[in-house]
PDB file of all heavy atoms in Angstrom:
ATOM      1  N   ARG Y  18      -8.356-100.961 -41.379  1.00 92.00           N
ATOM      2  CA  ARG Y  18      -9.298-101.501 -42.365  1.00 92.00           C
ATOM      3  C   ARG Y  18      -9.866-100.425 -43.279  1.00 92.00           C
ATOM      4  O   ARG Y  18     -10.406-100.727 -44.332  1.00 92.00           O
ATOM      5  CB  ARG Y  18     -10.437-102.244 -41.639  1.00 92.00           C
ATOM      6  CG  ARG Y  18      -9.987-103.574 -41.059  1.00 92.00           C
ATOM      7  CD  ARG Y  18     -11.033-104.153 -40.115  1.00 92.00           C
ATOM      8  NE  ARG Y  18     -10.966-103.556 -38.785  1.00 92.00           N
ATOM      9  CZ  ARG Y  18     -11.785-103.872 -37.781  1.00 92.00           C
ATOM     10  NH1 ARG Y  18     -12.735-104.763 -37.956  1.00 92.00           N
ATOM     11  NH2 ARG Y  18     -11.657-103.301 -36.596  1.00 92.00           N
ATOM     12  N   LYS Y  25     -10.274 -92.949 -39.161  1.00 93.00           N
ATOM     13  CA  LYS Y  25     -11.665 -93.309 -39.489  1.00 93.00           C
ATOM     14  C   LYS Y  25     -12.657 -92.402 -38.775  1.00 93.00           C
ATOM     15  O   LYS Y  25     -13.714 -92.086 -39.325  1.00 93.00           O
ATOM     16  CB  LYS Y  25     -11.955 -94.784 -39.217  1.00 93.00           C
ATOM     17  CG  LYS Y  25     -12.032 -95.199 -37.770  1.00 93.00           C
ATOM     18  CD  LYS Y  25     -12.527 -96.640 -37.678  1.00 93.00           C
ATOM     19  CE  LYS Y  25     -12.229 -97.233 -36.317  1.00 93.00           C
ATOM     20  NZ  LYS Y  25     -12.644 -98.633 -36.235  1.00 93.00           N
ATOM     21  N   THR Y  81      -8.823-102.306 -26.355  1.00 97.00           N
ATOM     22  CA  THR Y  81      -9.788-101.330 -25.826  1.00 97.00           C
ATOM     23  C   THR Y  81      -9.637-101.138 -24.307  1.00 97.00           C
ATOM     24  O   THR Y  81      -9.829-100.026 -23.802  1.00 97.00           O
ATOM     25  CB  THR Y  81     -11.226-101.759 -26.160  1.00 97.00           C
ATOM     26  OG1 THR Y  81     -11.387-103.149 -25.828  1.00 97.00           O
ATOM     27  CG2 THR Y  81     -11.545-101.578 -27.626  1.00 97.00           C
ATOM     28  N   PRO Y 103     -16.954 -96.158 -28.114  1.00 98.00           N
ATOM     29  CA  PRO Y 103     -15.920 -96.208 -29.149  1.00 98.00           C
ATOM     30  C   PRO Y 103     -16.037 -94.932 -29.989  1.00 98.00           C
ATOM     31  O   PRO Y 103     -17.124 -94.361 -30.101  1.00 98.00           O
ATOM     32  CB  PRO Y 103     -16.308 -97.441 -29.969  1.00 98.00           C
ATOM     33  CG  PRO Y 103     -17.777 -97.609 -29.762  1.00 98.00           C
ATOM     34  CD  PRO Y 103     -18.136 -96.954 -28.450  1.00 98.00           C
ATOM     35  N   GLY Y 104     -14.936 -94.478 -30.546  1.00 97.00           N
ATOM     36  CA  GLY Y 104     -14.987 -93.241 -31.334  1.00 97.00           C
ATOM     37  C   GLY Y 104     -15.596 -93.434 -32.705  1.00 97.00           C
ATOM     38  O   GLY Y 104     -15.879 -92.470 -33.405  1.00 97.00           O
ATOM     39  N   ASP Y 105     -15.827 -94.695 -33.097  1.00 96.00           N
ATOM     40  CA  ASP Y 105     -16.217 -94.966 -34.488  1.00 96.00           C
ATOM     41  C   ASP Y 105     -17.706 -95.250 -34.653  1.00 96.00           C
ATOM     42  O   ASP Y 105     -18.106 -95.946 -35.561  1.00 96.00           O
ATOM     43  CB  ASP Y 105     -15.381 -96.135 -35.044  1.00 96.00           C
ATOM     44  CG  ASP Y 105     -15.623 -97.443 -34.294  1.00 96.00           C
ATOM     45  OD1 ASP Y 105     -16.408 -97.456 -33.325  1.00 96.00           O
ATOM     46  OD2 ASP Y 105     -15.031 -98.469 -34.691  1.00 96.00           O
ATOM     47  N   CYS Y 106     -18.534 -94.718 -33.743  1.00 96.00           N
ATOM     48  CA  CYS Y 106     -19.974 -95.037 -33.804  1.00 96.00           C
ATOM     49  C   CYS Y 106     -20.822 -93.770 -33.955  1.00 96.00           C
ATOM     50  O   CYS Y 106     -21.416 -93.284 -32.998  1.00 96.00           O
ATOM     51  CB  CYS Y 106     -20.387 -95.827 -32.569  1.00 96.00           C
ATOM     52  SG  CYS Y 106     -20.069 -94.931 -31.056  1.00 96.00           S
ATOM     53  N   GLY Y 142     -18.182-110.802 -36.287  1.00 90.00           N
ATOM     54  CA  GLY Y 142     -17.194-109.766 -35.955  1.00 90.00           C
ATOM     55  C   GLY Y 142     -17.435-109.114 -34.602  1.00 90.00           C
ATOM     56  O   GLY Y 142     -16.507-108.546 -34.014  1.00 90.00           O
ATOM     57  N   TYR Y 143     -18.662-109.166 -34.114  1.00 94.00           N
ATOM     58  CA  TYR Y 143     -18.975-108.497 -32.845  1.00 94.00           C
ATOM     59  C   TYR Y 143     -18.679-109.405 -31.647  1.00 94.00           C
ATOM     60  O   TYR Y 143     -18.738-110.635 -31.753  1.00 94.00           O
ATOM     61  CB  TYR Y 143     -20.470-108.175 -32.782  1.00 94.00           C
ATOM     62  CG  TYR Y 143     -20.907-107.013 -33.635  1.00 94.00           C
ATOM     63  CD1 TYR Y 143     -21.578-107.231 -34.834  1.00 94.00           C
ATOM     64  CD2 TYR Y 143     -20.689-105.709 -33.220  1.00 94.00           C
ATOM     65  CE1 TYR Y 143     -22.013-106.166 -35.612  1.00 94.00           C
ATOM     66  CE2 TYR Y 143     -21.130-104.637 -33.988  1.00 94.00           C
ATOM     67  CZ  TYR Y 143     -21.789-104.881 -35.187  1.00 94.00           C
ATOM     68  OH  TYR Y 143     -22.223-103.831 -35.941  1.00 94.00           O
ATOM     69  N   SER Y 175     -22.240-103.507 -28.132  1.00 97.00           N
ATOM     70  CA  SER Y 175     -22.078-102.327 -28.995  1.00 97.00           C
ATOM     71  C   SER Y 175     -20.776-101.595 -28.687  1.00 97.00           C
ATOM     72  O   SER Y 175     -20.400-100.688 -29.406  1.00 97.00           O
ATOM     73  CB  SER Y 175     -23.244-101.365 -28.779  1.00 97.00           C
ATOM     74  OG  SER Y 175     -23.123-100.784 -27.484  1.00 97.00           O
ATOM     75  N   SER Y 176     -20.139-101.982 -27.566  1.00 97.00           N
ATOM     76  CA  SER Y 176     -18.923-101.303 -27.107  1.00 97.00           C
ATOM     77  C   SER Y 176     -19.260 -99.945 -26.472  1.00 97.00           C
ATOM     78  O   SER Y 176     -18.413 -99.072 -26.372  1.00 97.00           O
ATOM     79  CB  SER Y 176     -17.925-101.143 -28.264  1.00 97.00           C
ATOM     80  OG  SER Y 176     -16.617-101.083 -27.765  1.00 97.00           O
ATOM     81  N   ARG Y 228     -24.297 -98.963 -34.837  1.00 94.00           N
ATOM     82  CA  ARG Y 228     -23.367 -99.358 -35.914  1.00 94.00           C
ATOM     83  C   ARG Y 228     -22.046 -98.601 -35.858  1.00 94.00           C
ATOM     84  O   ARG Y 228     -22.018 -97.391 -35.708  1.00 94.00           O
ATOM     85  CB  ARG Y 228     -24.015 -99.139 -37.284  1.00 94.00           C
ATOM     86  CG  ARG Y 228     -25.034-100.200 -37.602  1.00 94.00           C
ATOM     87  CD  ARG Y 228     -25.469-100.184 -39.047  1.00 94.00           C
ATOM     88  NE  ARG Y 228     -26.679-100.979 -39.203  1.00 94.00           N
ATOM     89  CZ  ARG Y 228     -26.669-102.309 -39.358  1.00 94.00           C
ATOM     90  NH1 ARG Y 228     -25.521-102.960 -39.428  1.00 94.00           N
ATOM     91  NH2 ARG Y 228     -27.807-102.971 -39.466  1.00 94.00           N
ATOM     92  N   GLY Y 229     -20.982 -99.358 -36.012  1.00 92.00           N
ATOM     93  CA  GLY Y 229     -19.644 -98.775 -36.029  1.00 92.00           C
ATOM     94  C   GLY Y 229     -19.114 -98.731 -37.453  1.00 92.00           C
ATOM     95  O   GLY Y 229     -19.679 -99.340 -38.362  1.00 92.00           O
ATOM     96  N   VAL Y 230     -18.035 -98.009 -37.626  1.00 94.00           N
ATOM     97  CA  VAL Y 230     -17.418 -97.885 -38.951  1.00 94.00           C
ATOM     98  C   VAL Y 230     -15.996 -98.433 -38.863  1.00 94.00           C
ATOM     99  O   VAL Y 230     -15.155 -97.866 -38.177  1.00 94.00           O
ATOM    100  CB  VAL Y 230     -17.383 -96.410 -39.404  1.00 94.00           C
ATOM    101  CG1 VAL Y 230     -16.594 -96.255 -40.692  1.00 94.00           C
ATOM    102  CG2 VAL Y 230     -18.797 -95.871 -39.564  1.00 94.00           C
ATOM    103  N   ASN Y 231     -15.766 -99.547 -39.521  1.00 92.00           N
ATOM    104  CA  ASN Y 231     -14.409-100.085 -39.545  1.00 92.00           C
ATOM    105  C   ASN Y 231     -13.784-100.043 -40.931  1.00 92.00           C
ATOM    106  O   ASN Y 231     -12.575-100.092 -41.069  1.00 92.00           O
ATOM    107  CB  ASN Y 231     -14.404-101.524 -39.023  1.00 92.00           C
ATOM    108  CG  ASN Y 231     -14.785-101.585 -37.546  1.00 92.00           C
ATOM    109  OD1 ASN Y 231     -14.179-100.921 -36.716  1.00 92.00           O
ATOM    110  ND2 ASN Y 231     -15.825-102.331 -37.232  1.00 92.00           N
ATOM    111  N   GLN Y 235     -18.778-100.243 -44.422  1.00 95.00           N
ATOM    112  CA  GLN Y 235     -19.592 -99.861 -43.267  1.00 95.00           C
ATOM    113  C   GLN Y 235     -19.827 -98.344 -43.250  1.00 95.00           C
ATOM    114  O   GLN Y 235     -20.890 -97.889 -42.851  1.00 95.00           O
ATOM    115  CB  GLN Y 235     -18.917-100.311 -41.970  1.00 95.00           C
ATOM    116  CG  GLN Y 235     -18.964-101.826 -41.815  1.00 95.00           C
ATOM    117  CD  GLN Y 235     -18.181-102.303 -40.606  1.00 95.00           C
ATOM    118  OE1 GLN Y 235     -17.320-101.598 -40.090  1.00 95.00           O
ATOM    119  NE2 GLN Y 235     -18.475-103.512 -40.174  1.00 95.00           N
TER     120      GLN Y 235
HETATM  121 MG1   MG R 705     -14.999-101.264 -34.183  1.00 97.10          MG
END
Side-chain angles (χ1 to χ4, degrees):
R18 287 168 279 179
K25 71 172 163 183
T81 47
D105 63 358
C106 59
Y143 285 104
S175 70
S176 207
R228 284 192 195 276
V230 173
N231 294 305
Q235 289 174 340

